[in-house]
Amino acid sequence: MAKLRQYRSFPLAIKSVIFVWVAVIFSACTNKKVQQPEDWLIDGISRPAEVIEEEGGQITLSNGLVQRRFVTSPNVACYDYVNLVTGEQLVRAVMPEARISLNGKEYKIGGLYGQEEKAYFKPEWLDKMTPGTDDFQYTGHKIKEIEPHFLWRSSVWTGHKELPKGKQLVLDFEHADIEGLTVHIHYELYDNIPLTGKYLTVENKSDDPVKIDQVVHEILAMPEEESAVVGSPDKIKKPHHLYLESNYAFNNAMKAELSDQTAHWKTDSTYTSQVNYDLQTPVLLEVYPDRGIGIVLEPGTDFKSIRTYELARDSYDRERNGLARRKMYRTLAPWTTQNPIFMHLVSTDPEQVRTIIDQCAETGYEGVILSFGSGLNMEDTSPENIKKFKELADYAHGKEVLLGGYSLFSSRSIGPETDVIDPETKKPGRAFFNNAPCLASEWGLDYLKKIKYFFEQTGFDIFENDGPYPGDVCASTSHEGHRGLEDSQWVQMELQKELYHWMNKRGIYINAPDWYFLDGSHKIGLGYREVNFALPRERQMLLNRQNIYDGTWEKTPSMGWGFVPLTAYHGGGPEAVLEPLDEHLSDYRQLMMQYYGAGVQACYRGPRLYDTEKTKNTVIEVIDWYRKYRSILNADIIHLRRPDGRDWDGILHVDPDGEVKGLAMLYNPLNKEITREITLPLYYTGLQGSAEISMEEGKTASYDMDNKGNIRIRVTIPPGGYTWLTVR
């Protein structure tokens, strides 16, 4: 009461100041209460990686999102792996850091023994644990910045140019009985994302060669995903806590999980307190190539294992997990955010090539790819062939247009002395694509030299590598580049990667239909059935939107290509193609808007981009629109409603760091105009409270967002057409 009487005695001016001061404090407090919580996907807060050395030989890797802790004495052991966003512990038991097979004998690297209970771990148990007597032992470590695994130069439009940043911890190990051999285990922790990387290198400083049979570079004893009293390992759910991806993925599936060749979920018989009576819960992760390594490491040389990346998940929501994956690709592989505007020409006639280059320059297209069936042969290194295509590349560059071309590797037979040899029949055949040359044969090594020579001499900018090395094995013992079956897969993979590293260093853009993103490829197929492009255009439109919708849950828009048959492809009559373009202008525009509206480049395959002035103006209008909104159209996609032909469908691009925070593309497959009230989930735009919405650059209106970041908006979509809106 005394304080109240004191306040009443103040002059009016002082009372006003006190009132404003109290109001500001109250406003700040209330705003703090309703402020959106931190979210690493959208808040832009800096979370740098750190490697902290503590007393007693403890080392901690942390960036505020994920944490991994080690002891280094009496040997290295990872005993703590935490998702700091959820507080979830990711390991239940101490395991060796890695395992390696040398000259037919298996060795464990690091790790401690003596943990009796494998369902959980208590740090105080470390004092009683001991190292293995026949294991590689820790000898030291280094801390340094993350280094690029290969050089990259961008020569086309790129959404994210920054190479990954973070810290690297390198743990060194040696074995008392193996003189001159040092194993280094590399841990990478990235800034601003709950992502770690791991790989292993071996230095042979001895005087003798060493055969590396196999390398298991990651071993994690993880908590189970579900309580299953009975059930086989293939039916019990695998742990969801980490998304794993390695740079040893292939098989033409266009999807990381199906291309994976290295993640092995196994049972753990030492985990005797699990609820599964037969100890069949798949809770032990080991990462290694199925076929092994099989190489001989000569004296004075080094070996580098595959790399595995572990992304800590904080949700079971499909969209959120997809957004996290897409951020992982932008972080690890920024070259995948390159996204040039290109078309596919079906001719190498110099006059036609120059004509299409001119059309590209006039309409805003940025590149021409001399397509399959065009007649391009990059293996022809004759002076005449090189001269022809160098002149065309020079002409394109003079018009500020890129020129590239197609080369087929697999799906063909060269000859019995060069093709992959089947291990069972000892004859050519039974490769992934039935027949294929061995990349490590004399012909394959010469193929790589010819491709490099062609690009060096002509100045071509784009490489479309069809049927690249897809993981075939080869039992030949006479091929120049590999010794036999054991090392054939590993060697061919290394040759494929080296080609892509070489191209990235020179700014060459790569289309390749297999999952080589982590070693330099830039785009794969979005995921489609080729024969569908022989269907009527009306059906193609809806199927294309389904392909876009389904193919962008994990991939960014720039990572996949679609297809538009300007002329016949896999059959089909006049109802399937767009030529003559002027006669199908509405369909042409719609197909372009569907792809460019998703940020997805399509292969516009045919002889020309336009045939009349009216067609030319249509192409220019679409490309100008795409260029204006290019940043947001290449941003993440939120999936609104999958196309089903029964009602509207659509997607929403979001970019919390962009000037335009969102752009929605909405489609009407029906033959009548429709008006719908649609929910737009704007949480991942980073906006709070309200959003400014403009329909096709018309009048802007403000909409209040609910507490989940949603707005409700009424839209009208023309029959068989589309509309779009921007969010700011």
Side-chain angles (χ1 to χ4, degrees):
M1 292 297 293
K3 290 182 178 179
L4 180 58
R5 285 194 296 270
Q6 185 179 4
Y7 170 76
R8 287 173 176 169
S9 67
F10 288 163
L12 180 60
I14 297 178
K15 288 181 179 178
S16 299
V17 172
I18 293 173
F19 177 81
V20 171
W21 178 70
V22 171
V24 169
I25 293 177
F26 179 78
S27 175
C29 291
T30 54
N31 284 343
K32 186 175 182 180
K33 288 179 181 177
V34 299
Q35 188 175 15
Q36 196 171 24
E38 290 184 4
D39 185 340
W40 65 273
L41 277 172
I42 60 174
D43 60 23
I45 294 174
S46 177
R47 297 178 175 91
E50 295 181 288
V51 181
I52 304 165
E53 298 176 273
E54 305 170 53
E55 293 183 2
Q58 299 262 350
I59 302 177
T60 299
L61 283 74
S62 179
N63 61 4
L65 298 171
V66 67
Q67 172 180 286
R68 200 158 183 175
R69 304 186 72 195
F70 305 84
V71 291
T72 58
S73 179
N75 203 354
V76 167
C78 174
Y79 68 92
D80 183 53
Y81 192 177
V82 185
N83 182 336
L84 296 175
V85 177
T86 63
E88 192 170 39
Q89 178 61 241
L90 302 176
V91 294
R92 56 176 174 77
V94 168
M95 300 299 292
E97 281 298 292
R99 197 167 65 242
I100 190 168
S101 179
L102 304 171
N103 296 328
K105 182 177 179 180
E106 189 173 83
Y107 300 88
K108 294 174 183 176
I109 303 169
L112 294 171
Y113 301 87
Q115 179 183 347
E116 295 182 5
E117 175 56 65
K118 297 294 181 72
Y120 55 88
F121 185 82
K122 289 181 176 290
E124 55 263 34
W125 295 348
L126 287 169
D127 293 337
K128 298 180 180 180
M129 298 179 72
T130 58
T133 56
D134 195 32
D135 296 350
F136 274 77
Q137 304 295 317
Y138 166 78
T139 59
H141 69 269
K142 297 178 285 294
I143 299 170
K144 51 187 178 179
E145 301 296 316
I146 284 178
E147 301 166 346
H149 292 281
F150 57 89
L151 299 177
W152 164 56
R153 179 173 66 84
S154 174
S155 59
V156 300
W157 185 92
T158 308
H160 181 78
K161 293 185 178 181
E162 186 176 341
L163 286 168
K165 294 181 179 179
K167 296 292 184 181
Q168 183 179 178
L169 171 66
V170 185
L171 302 167
D172 305 328
F173 298 85
E174 293 181 357
H175 196 285
D177 298 335
I178 308 176
E179 187 176 349
L181 202 72
T182 303
V183 174
H184 308 282
I185 295 180
H186 303 250
Y187 278 99
E188 297 173 324
L189 178 63
Y190 294 85
D191 293 349
N192 308 320
I193 183 171
L195 179 68
T196 61
K198 187 177 180 181
Y199 63 99
L200 179 154
T201 55
V202 181
E203 286 183 89
N204 185 5
K205 299 177 183 177
S206 73
D207 297 328
D208 300 312
V210 177
K211 185 166 183 282
I212 301 178
D213 304 298
Q214 180 62 287
V215 172
V216 182
H217 70 277
E218 179 65 301
I219 306 170
L220 290 175
M222 298 188 68
E224 51 263 62
E225 181 67 16
E226 63 179 354
S227 178
V229 176
V230 296
S232 59
D234 60 322
K235 293 183 178 180
I236 300 174
K237 289 181 180 178
K238 312 299 187 293
H240 174 83
H241 320 299
L242 290 177
Y243 170 72
L244 297 115
E245 187 166 324
S246 82
N247 69 328
Y248 203 78
F250 47 80
N251 72 4
N252 211 233
M254 317 287 179
K255 186 172 175 61
E257 288 89 341
L258 297 178
S259 300
D260 173 61
Q261 309 292 327
T262 64
H264 301 84
W265 291 101
K266 299 185 175 183
T267 60
D268 184 357
S269 61
T270 68
Y271 177 16
T272 56
S273 56
Q274 62 183 278
V275 302
N276 189 281
Y277 269 64
D278 298 317
L279 307 183
Q280 293 296 293
T281 311
V283 286
L284 180 61
L285 172 70
E286 294 189 350
V287 183
Y288 56 88
D290 281 327
R291 291 278 183 173
I293 310 298
I295 67 163
V296 174
L297 187 64
E298 299 293 342
T301 61
D302 300 340
F303 165 82
K304 184 177 183 179
S305 77
I306 62 176
R307 309 189 307 274
T308 290
Y309 299 96
E310 300 169 10
L311 178 66
R313 291 170 167 156
D314 58 23
S315 172
Y316 282 84
D317 178 73
R318 185 184 187 187
E319 194 76 85
R320 183 171 179 84
N321 288 333
L323 289 164
R325 289 251 311 255
R326 291 171 246 162
K327 187 162 185 173
M328 181 190 79
Y329 293 128
R330 289 188 176 98
T331 300
L332 286 178
W335 47 87
T336 63
T337 69
Q338 297 175 112
N339 205 6
I341 308 169
F342 55 75
M343 72 88 62
H344 274 228
L345 181 65
V346 291
S347 173
T348 55
D349 176 75
E351 184 176 344
Q352 288 192 48
V353 176
R354 289 189 176 91
T355 297
I356 198 62
I357 289 170
D358 291 341
Q359 287 199 351
C360 285
E362 292 167 357
T363 58
Y365 270 72
E366 296 164 344
V368 176
I369 297 176
L370 303 179
S371 190
F372 46 95
S374 67
L376 174 66
N377 181 9
M378 293 186 183
E379 299 162 42
D380 181 357
T381 57
S382 66
E384 297 79 15
N385 197 53
I386 296 297
K387 180 176 182 292
K388 172 184 176 180
F389 289 106
K390 183 182 186 307
E391 289 177 352
L392 292 174
D394 290 344
Y395 183 81
H397 297 158
K399 299 280 187 173
E400 297 185 347
V401 173
L402 306 170
L403 186 60
Y406 169 94
S407 176
L408 178 68
F409 176 77
S410 296
S411 303
R412 60 171 171 161
S413 174
I414 304 301
E417 71 284 355
T418 60
D419 288 2
V420 293
I421 301 300
D422 179 66
E424 295 182 12
T425 66
K426 308 301 181 185
K427 297 178 180 179
R430 295 178 63 181
F432 187 88
F433 294 111
N434 297 318
N435 287 293
C438 175
L439 194 54
S441 68
E442 184 178 353
W443 181 91
L445 298 175
D446 192 48
Y447 170 85
L448 294 172
K449 291 176 184 177
K450 287 178 176 178
I451 294 299
K452 291 178 180 179
Y453 182 81
F454 183 89
F455 275 89
E456 285 177 330
Q457 297 301 312
T458 63
F460 265 41
D461 311 280
I462 303 173
F463 182 45
E464 183 150 292
N465 192 190
D466 194 3
Y469 174 64
D472 287 327
V473 296
C474 178
S476 172
T477 56
S478 62
H479 288 170
E480 181 179 338
H482 72 101
R483 294 171 181 267
L485 177 62
E486 280 187 281
D487 69 340
S488 62
Q489 188 181 77
W490 180 266
V491 169
Q492 290 184 81
M493 277 296 293
E494 290 297 294
L495 290 169
Q496 180 79 46
K497 293 175 182 180
E498 191 279 329
L499 174 63
Y500 290 173
H501 294 177
W502 182 90
M503 289 187 164
N504 272 268
K505 183 178 179 180
R506 288 156 180 78
I508 297 168
Y509 188 84
I510 303 166
N511 286 344
D514 221 329
W515 206 267
Y516 301 127
F517 288 120
L518 298 181
D519 272 299
S521 67
H522 305 122
K523 198 185 296 291
I524 64 172
L526 184 65
Y528 51 74
R529 181 179 290 274
E530 289 184 307
V531 294
N532 287 354
F533 299 109
L535 298 173
R537 289 183 298 277
E538 181 182 359
R539 292 172 63 182
Q540 288 186 45
M541 288 179 195
L542 199 132
L543 291 170
N544 288 358
R545 296 206 300 276
Q546 287 185 340
N547 297 157
I548 291 167
Y549 195 92
D550 298 340
T552 52
W553 283 100
E554 289 88 22
K555 297 193 291 288
T556 66
S558 59
M559 289 169 67
W561 75 68
F563 198 90
V564 175
L566 303 180
T567 52
Y569 182 66
H570 278 268
E575 71 284 354
V577 300
L578 289 167
E579 284 282 0
L581 302 175
D582 185 62
E583 295 180 14
H584 309 109
L585 202 49
S586 176
D587 291 346
Y588 191 15
R589 177 191 287 272
Q590 171 96 7
L591 285 164
M592 284 192 292
M593 285 296 293
Q594 289 184 180
Y595 278 118
Y596 290 120
V600 175
Q601 299 298 329
C603 303
Y604 298 87
R605 187 173 186 270
R608 55 191 175 181
L609 286 171
Y610 63 82
D611 50 4
T612 66
E613 198 67 22
K614 186 178 179 182
T615 306
K616 175 182 176 180
N617 291 335
T618 297
V619 175
I620 290 173
E621 286 172 13
V622 174
I623 297 302
D624 284 351
W625 175 83
Y626 172 70
R627 283 174 173 269
K628 180 177 180 178
Y629 294 105
R630 195 169 196 168
S631 292
I632 185 63
L633 290 172
N634 278 270
D636 280 319
I637 286 176
I638 302 296
H639 298 76
L640 300 180
R641 188 176 188 278
R642 190 178 189 271
D644 59 12
R646 303 180 185 215
D647 206 341
W648 72 277
D649 58 86
I651 58 174
L652 169 69
H653 294 276
V654 294
D655 182 5
D657 299 321
E659 179 184 351
V660 179
K661 302 294 185 184
L663 191 149
M665 297 295 301
L666 306 172
Y667 300 94
N668 175 13
L670 307 178
N671 57 10
K672 62 180 180 180
E673 180 180 278
I674 60 173
T675 298
R676 299 286 186 268
E677 191 171 83
I678 293 171
T679 297
L680 289 183
L682 300 184
Y683 173 82
Y684 290 107
T685 65
L687 293 171
Q688 299 179 47
S690 64
E692 304 295 315
I693 308 293
S694 176
M695 301 292 300
E696 297 194 9
E697 299 182 337
K699 186 177 179 181
T700 299
S702 181
Y703 290 80
D704 291 333
M705 299 164 61
D706 65 20
N707 59 6
K708 294 183 180 179
N710 299 322
I711 68 165
R712 294 284 291 174
I713 185 168
R714 192 174 179 84
V715 297
T716 298
I717 314 175
Y722 60 88
T723 189
W724 55 277
L725 57 85
T726 56
V727 183
R728 300 176 189 268

